Amino acid sequence: MIAAFLGMRLYSVLGKRTGHEQEPVLPRERTAAAPVRLDEADGSQAATSAPADTSGLVYEPAAEAGLRQLLATDRNFDAGRFMEGAEAAYRMILEAYWAGDRDTLRDLCDDDSYEAFADAIAAREGRGETLENRLMGIDSAKITDVELNRGEARITVRYRADISAVTRDADGKLIAGSMSDAAQTDDHWTFRRQIGSGDPNWLLDEAESA
């Protein structure tokens, strides 16, 4: 089921992240503009002129030139569809990490990211701790950077979200956090994919918190 979901919803999704002890899951739905695909007009002209209004776009102006370069290389790439998958991936990876679901992380992360998650989970389990985290909502998610190098595409997405986090010890005693107070996060995740690969999915390659 996970594989099927990834193939359909995460058409171009994710990769790696380091252990993030902040936690949440069930994001609230938000009103957003319809998915945006860069048009196929003359790339050289469009790349030099920033949109007049970027409020409804799925990317920041600084990423436009890179997106056009990617679209020129991979005509099947769709920025709006990628962002749908990237938001789903953000939720799935966080939830899997909080729950200690190594199988899901294995499917969504590259090797280094998976190992970072697995090490953090093992350390948590060794202390007998459990997480009760929830992603209360993703306030915004936009592409901030696109890089192409030797046939590999790397896309960085900035997520601003609200997460409530609770840590309990082996006896179920609260040792950190509060479900009543959601912390605002500013995460920058980078996904990678080999252009032309038969696998349409993107893997999480890096994750940073501002």
Side-chain angles (χ1 to χ4, degrees), residues 66-67 69-71 73 146-154 195:
L67 280 171
Q69 183 181 4
L70 175 56
L71 184 58
T73 304
V146 179
E147 296 180 0
L148 277 68
N149 184 28
R150 296 182 179 180
E152 181 180 79
R154 288 167 52 86
I195 298 174

Side-chain angles (χ1 to χ4, degrees), residues 142-191:
K142 286 192 174 185
I143 296 170
T144 61
D145 186 59
V146 179
E147 296 180 0
L148 277 68
N149 184 28
R150 296 182 179 180
E152 181 180 79
R154 288 167 52 86
I155 299 179
T156 299
V157 178
R158 180 180 189 179
Y159 302 91
R160 289 177 173 171
D162 297 318
I163 292 177
S164 61
V166 166
T167 303
R168 298 186 183 277
D169 63 16
D171 297 324
K173 181 181 178 181
L174 177 67
I175 58 177
S178 169
M179 292 302 289
S180 61
D181 294 324
Q184 292 187 332
T185 65
D186 187 358
D187 291 337
H188 297 250
W189 286 20
T190 300
F191 302 100

Side-chain angles (χ1 to χ4, degrees), residues 11-193:
Y11 169 80
S12 33
V13 183
L14 48 167
K16 137 191 182 179
R17 141 182 263 282
T18 57
H20 186 56
E21 291 298 331
Q22 251 178 327
E23 334 4 39
V25 192
L26 316 177
R28 69 164 185 262
E29 293 186 353
R30 62 186 178 92
T31 302
V36 176
R37 174 172 182 152
L38 296 175
D39 61 39
E40 299 182 4
D42 178 57
S44 59
Q45 176 181 354
T48 58
S49 59
D53 179 8
T54 62
S55 59
L57 299 179
V58 298
Y59 59 92
E60 295 183 356
E64 183 173 355
L67 280 171
R68 291 194 179 281
Q69 183 181 4
L70 175 56
L71 184 58
T73 304
D74 182 359
R75 305 301 288 183
N76 292 319
F77 178 78
D78 184 291
R81 187 181 298 174
F82 171 86
M83 285 308 301
E84 288 180 358
E87 288 197 38
Y90 185 70
R91 295 192 297 267
M92 291 176 68
I93 291 176
L94 287 179
E95 292 178 4
Y97 169 64
W98 298 331
D101 183 352
R102 293 174 174 83
D103 290 340
T104 296
L105 292 172
R106 176 72 280 178
D107 289 335
L108 305 180
C109 300
D110 70 3
D111 291 341
D112 291 340
S113 297
Y114 170 76
E115 289 176 6
F117 276 123
D119 288 345
I121 291 172
R124 189 174 71 215
E125 292 174 341
R127 296 189 300 269
E129 296 174 354
T130 57
L131 301 179
E132 296 178 5
N133 302 329
R134 290 185 181 177
L135 177 59
M136 308 307 293
I138 299 175
D139 297 323
S140 69
K142 286 192 174 185
I143 296 170
T144 61
D145 186 59
V146 179
E147 296 180 0
L148 277 68
N149 184 28
R150 296 182 179 180
E152 181 180 79
R154 288 167 52 86
I155 299 179
T156 299
V157 178
R158 180 180 189 179
Y159 302 91
R160 289 177 173 171
D162 297 318
I163 292 177
S164 61
V166 166
T167 303
R168 298 186 183 277
D169 63 16
D171 297 324
K173 181 181 178 181
L174 177 67
I175 58 177
S178 169
M179 292 302 289
S180 61
D181 294 324
Q184 292 187 332
T185 65
D186 187 358
D187 291 337
H188 297 250
W189 286 20
T190 300
F191 302 100
R192 66 174 179 82
R193 177 177 178 270

